[in-house]
Amino acid sequence: MLQANFLLLAAVLFCIGVYGVIARRNAVMVLMSIELILNSVNLNFIAFALMNQNIDGHVFALFVIAIAAAEVGVGLAMVLLIYRNRKSIALDELSEMKG
Amino acid sequence: MMLAADGINVAQNIGFGIIAAVMIFSALCVVSTKNVVHAALWLVMVLAGVAAQYILAAAEFVAVSQVMVYIGAVMVLFLFGIMLTRAQIGSEEGLNNSTWALGIPVGVVLFGLLAWVVLDFTDDNVIAEPAGPAPTQAIADQVLSPYLIPFFGMTFVLLAAAVGAIVLARKD
């Protein structure tokens, strides 16, 4: 398999995730786009592990999966808190911390 | 660029291409659909595709972790999040920012840059055929000896995240 295949697929997923983070207004959908970005990074870790015949990339991918699970838990808790206080999770309406 | 049939495993490449096409289509649906629940279900397709790519890359332990943690646990969290924030059933207007069109040039330019770097860096390098699935014991040896301190750190991060999520979401 060509090295470029894996890395280009990861780049496509990364850019779609970046677009989602920029374009979406709903906080849950922004979190989903962040998951896309994290998965593209994981794909790169596995590809480099295969290229270098080294198992370290697998370990880092497992760390990223665990941290992503924690991130989703905290992120959704914050989204629920915001929803309870404001009855909306539209990110462009959150201006309370604006100076 | 080298042709797909030049001295590389064609079957593996065709499998890779099909899965990659499904993943890219699903990812585009995740960021463009007007229905929040559908976005979550398209995300399941992307995550399953990533797991399939891991299996092609001989990383079967990571693939199983991907299925259990992401498709099993994270997606349930997402669906809970969608339900608890009372998303509309059916399609919904106003899921995008007013400046959403700005994201398209950003994404395209970013991809152009990344593709240029990747193609410049890898040339026509071919990945060696994986000799077989990576042994799970080797991963365990790595996690429990050189990466023991980061592993402990991660356990504390997970504990802090779980406690923090409960404190944040609790009704007082």
Side-chain angles (χ1 to χ4, degrees):
Chain A
M1 213 176 335
L2 288 174
Q3 281 185 4
N5 285 357
F6 262 109
L7 302 184
L8 284 178
L9 174 64
V12 171
L13 280 188
F14 186 87
C15 295
I16 294 174
V18 168
Y19 166 75
V21 171
I22 294 174
R24 289 306 209 181
R25 191 159 168 260
N26 185 316
V28 178
M29 305 196 83
V30 171
L31 281 175
M32 287 185 205
S33 307
I34 293 175
E35 293 302 311
L36 281 180
I37 294 177
L38 289 170
N39 270 284
S40 83
V41 172
N42 266 348
L43 213 50
N44 270 351
F45 273 133
I46 298 297
F48 283 119
L50 193 60
M51 282 174 206
N52 297 328
Q53 301 292 322
N54 194 332
I55 207 94
D56 286 3
H58 295 203
V59 177
F60 274 95
L62 289 170
F63 280 171
V64 171
I65 290 175
I67 297 299
E71 170 249 318
V72 170
V74 175
L76 284 174
M78 289 167 67
V79 168
L80 286 186
L81 193 66
I82 292 169
Y83 178 76
R84 201 177 298 144
N85 287 334
R86 306 180 48 103
K87 298 290 168 230
S88 155
I89 51 170
L91 291 174
D92 53 353
E93 290 170 12
L94 299 178
S95 56
E96 262 148 30
M97 291 177 79
K98 216 186 226 173
Chain B
M1 277 298 281
M2 204 160 65
L3 288 177
D6 265 4
I8 48 182
N9 189 333
V10 178
Q12 200 182 16
N13 265 284
I14 292 173
F16 177 92
I18 293 171
I19 299 167
V22 171
M23 281 166 67
I24 292 171
F25 175 74
S26 308
L28 285 173
C29 287
V30 171
V31 296
S32 64
T33 179
K34 282 190 157 61
N35 187 326
V36 188
V37 180
H38 286 184
L41 296 178
W42 282 116
L43 188 61
V44 172
M45 288 289 288
V46 180
L47 298 175
V50 172
Q53 300 288 19
Y54 290 163
I55 289 173
L56 269 186
E60 98 284 7
F61 185 76
V62 186
V64 172
S65 309
Q66 170 91 6
V67 171
M68 291 201 319
V69 176
Y70 265 117
I71 302 179
V74 171
M75 288 318 298
V76 171
L77 272 180
F78 271 128
L79 291 173
F80 265 119
I82 291 168
M83 286 190 287
L84 289 174
T85 54
R86 307 225 173 82
Q88 265 177 293
I89 305 293
S91 62
E92 191 175 348
E93 293 303 319
L95 281 178
N96 281 349
N97 278 323
S98 53
T99 53
W100 65 272
L102 197 64
I104 295 175
V106 171
V108 170
V109 168
L110 188 61
F111 175 69
L113 199 66
L114 287 174
W116 177 49
V117 172
V118 164
L119 292 176
D120 195 46
F121 166 69
T122 59
D123 292 326
D124 278 345
N125 293 352
V126 177
I127 300 176
E129 290 280 314
T136 306
Q137 195 184 355
I139 297 176
D141 286 344
Q142 288 289 306
V143 169
L144 292 180
S145 41
Y147 292 110
L148 189 61
I149 300 296
F151 181 70
F152 274 157
M154 195 185 67
T155 59
F156 282 111
V157 168
L158 278 176
L159 179 66
V163 174
I166 293 170
V167 170
L168 279 175
R170 186 185 55 173
K171 276 195 182 128
D172 40 17

